[in-house]
Structure formats: structure tokens, C-alpha cells
Amino acid sequence: MQFYAKSAIPIIESNYDKFTTVEKSIADFFTQNRKKMDFSAKAVAEMLYVSEASLSRFAKKCGYRGYREFVYQYEETFVEKQESVTANTRMVLSAYQELLNKAYNLVDEAQIARISRYLSQAERVFVCGKGSSGLAASEMEFRFMRVGVNIDSVQDTDLMKMRAVFQDKRSLAFGISIGGEKQEVLFLLREAYKRGAKTVLFTTNIRDEFAEFCTEVVLLPSLGNLNHGNLISPQFPILVVLDLIYANYVEQDKYEKETLHDHTLRALEEGKSKRF
């Protein structure tokens, strides 16, 4: 398996907030650049209309001894080579790569777009799951709530049963069951569908019966046939698909949703400042 050399870009990104305006312009250049060129201090300083001293200060804020050391690592970004890593690291990264390849082959963009429309049209959204699927449900609630979706996640079995009877044609219900066998999740989807709600099931196993009560069945990449798939968090394939839906949803009325997202961030920051 091939690995790309360790990149300076994540280091730049993690230090971005402490840069001056000039240093941010330098950071923007290096994070957005996609081609190899003359990265000498003189050449870059002339290109960006900054001083060589600014480049040196920028590199030191990133944790390097100087600009030369920074550029040495940055240039490695453009060199593909066999990375010296341990067997365990190689196994985990190989499994993640294979899982992403599976997701690429399974993704149905037309289906993703339909689900995004359901999210836009629904007055109430519920997402349920048990165990690791329940944790992914909570993550979905948190992310979509921040862009204006009226969404609740449910992990408790009794709550799933109670919430099921309150669904109607204004509702959208998501169920997450990797094996497609969690009866609590399937019960909520069945009852919601009977009452006119749109229903979406995330699962690795497709069955004919799902068509009876699911508006959409979203196939997740399976960990089952991966080499060392037991090393991967079972939430990962769910989160990959949720990210695809989130990206598609936010792209609709992008300005409005980004504004809502910024408002929630400000509200969180204000809440923190009041506590301290």
C-alpha cells in the first residue's frame, strides 16, 4: 500500500488562529497551492509581497526551527513514496482506504439528493439507533440541528416506541441498523411509514421486506469482508454517508445554512464566556 509523506498542511491549519494577517496570507497560499514550484524564501516573498522575515516567523509559529525546515517538509507533500510505518498502522489505514472505496462504489447521488429534499420539506425529523448506531444518531442530530433542522435523536427502546406513534406526513424518520436486524429501529420505521412519514434506513444488508416500510434504503459499506475490519469503528461507515447527505443538504440555500451554522457557533461561544 502507498502512503503520502507527512504533510505540513495540517500543522498550518492547526495554528491558523494565532497567525497575524500577513501570516494568514502566507498560510492561505501554502494550504491552497496544488503544484510544485520554487519555494525558496526569496521567490515566495516576492510572489506574496511579504518579507523573508515574515516567512521565518510564520514557520516558527508552525513549530519549525525556520523557513527552510518548513519548506523541506512542505515539499514532501508532492512526493509519493513508500512510507515507513508499522504493520498495525498499515492494517488500519488499509482497512479505512478499502472502506472508503466501498463507499465510493455504493453511493447513489440521486438518492442523496432525494433525502436532502426530504430534510428540507419535513417539519420534524427523528433519527434512531442503538449502541454505536445510537452514537451516530446523536452526531447526526447535533450536526443538522446547527443548520436549522428540527431534529431529535432517540436511543432508548421505549422512547422509540412512543415516538413512533406521533409520526405523520410532516415527519421524516431515519433508522440506523448496520445489520438491519434491530427490531426497535424497524418498529419505529414501520409505524412512521404507516402514518404517512417518509422513512430512511441505513444498513449494510438489503432485504425485500424493507421496501414495505422504507421510502429509502441507504446501503452502508460493510466491515464484514474487510481484512482487519474489526479494527475499524462501526460508526465510521455511517458517518461517511451522513457527511455526504450533510454536504448535499448544506449546498441547497448554502448562504442561509452557513449563516445558521455561524449563529450556533456564536451562541456556543457566548454560553462559554458567560460561565467563566
Side-chain angles (χ1 to χ4, degrees):
M1 180 180 176
Q2 292 258 305
F3 290 91
Y4 285 96
K6 295 184 184 300
S7 172
I9 291 175
I11 297 172
I12 297 172
E13 292 172 340
S14 65
N15 288 284
Y16 193 84
D17 287 343
K18 69 183 182 184
F19 293 151
T20 64
T21 302
V22 170
E23 290 161 355
K24 283 181 178 177
S25 70
I26 297 169
D28 291 340
F29 164 74
F30 283 110
T31 55
Q32 294 168 20
N33 175 61
R34 293 294 180 269
K35 60 183 180 180
K36 192 168 184 178
M37 59 179 76
D38 182 0
F39 294 115
S40 67
K42 182 179 179 182
V44 173
E46 289 177 357
M47 188 190 318
L48 301 182
Y49 302 102
V50 299
S51 67
E52 292 185 29
S54 293
L55 292 175
S56 178
R57 286 192 293 272
F58 161 78
K60 287 177 180 177
K61 280 191 180 178
C62 288
Y64 298 94
R65 285 172 293 183
Y67 180 74
R68 183 177 296 179
E69 185 183 48
F70 163 77
V71 166
Y72 177 80
Q73 184 168 333
Y74 181 77
E75 287 183 322
E76 290 290 295
T77 303
F78 300 93
V79 179
E80 190 177 338
K81 65 180 184 180
Q82 189 72 23
E83 188 70 32
S84 169
V85 295
T86 64
N88 282 338
T89 300
R90 187 181 304 280
M91 283 191 298
V92 172
L93 294 178
S94 295
Y96 271 110
Q97 185 60 61
E98 190 174 346
L99 197 58
L100 287 172
N101 290 341
K102 286 186 175 186
Y104 179 81
N105 285 285
L106 287 173
V107 67
D108 180 343
E109 290 190 291
Q111 182 182 57
I112 297 294
R114 287 195 301 272
I115 294 170
S116 296
R117 286 197 298 274
Y118 301 156
L119 279 162
S120 296
Q121 295 162 0
E123 292 184 17
R124 296 189 303 270
V125 180
F126 293 94
V127 53
C128 65
K130 300 287 290 180
S132 59
S133 296
L135 295 175
S138 294
E139 172 67 11
M140 183 178 182
E141 175 190 359
F142 182 71
R143 294 197 69 192
F144 282 87
M145 176 180 63
R146 292 169 66 183
V147 289
V149 177
N150 180 15
I151 181 170
D152 286 300
S153 62
V154 186
Q155 299 182 50
D156 180 81
T157 298
D158 290 337
L159 277 177
M160 285 184 202
K161 292 177 180 178
M162 287 188 284
R163 290 291 180 91
V165 301
F166 292 112
Q167 307 305 304
D168 58 32
K169 63 182 179 181
R170 298 168 296 176
S171 307
L172 171 61
F174 289 92
I176 306 174
S177 176
I178 292 175
E181 297 174 340
K182 282 287 186 290
Q183 292 305 312
E184 310 95 315
V185 172
L186 300 182
F187 176 84
L188 186 143
L189 295 179
R190 279 196 190 94
E191 293 301 312
Y193 189 82
K194 269 196 258 181
R195 290 164 170 76
K198 293 276 196 306
T199 56
V200 179
L201 173 64
F202 295 101
T203 184
T204 59
N205 296 319
I206 191 162
R207 297 176 184 167
D208 291 341
E209 66 180 281
F210 295 156
E212 299 171 9
F213 57 89
C214 295
T215 311
E216 304 282 349
V217 177
V218 179
L219 281 177
L220 303 171
S222 172
L223 299 172
N225 297 317
L226 289 179
N227 288 328
H228 311 291
N230 59 321
L231 301 176
I232 303 299
S233 166
Q235 293 176 59
F236 181 75
I238 306 168
L239 296 177
V240 169
V241 174
L242 290 181
D243 281 346
L244 292 172
I245 295 170
Y246 182 85
N248 190 288
Y249 178 75
V250 170
E251 194 59 32
Q252 305 167 24
D253 302 319
K254 188 173 183 180
Y255 174 77
E256 179 186 349
K257 284 162 186 169
E258 286 181 345
T259 301
L260 286 168
H261 183 270
D262 291 343
H263 287 337
T264 60
L265 285 179
R266 279 199 293 275
L268 289 170
E269 289 302 319
E270 287 172 7
K272 288 178 185 175
S273 63
K274 287 177 182 177
R275 287 201 301 269
F276 294 102

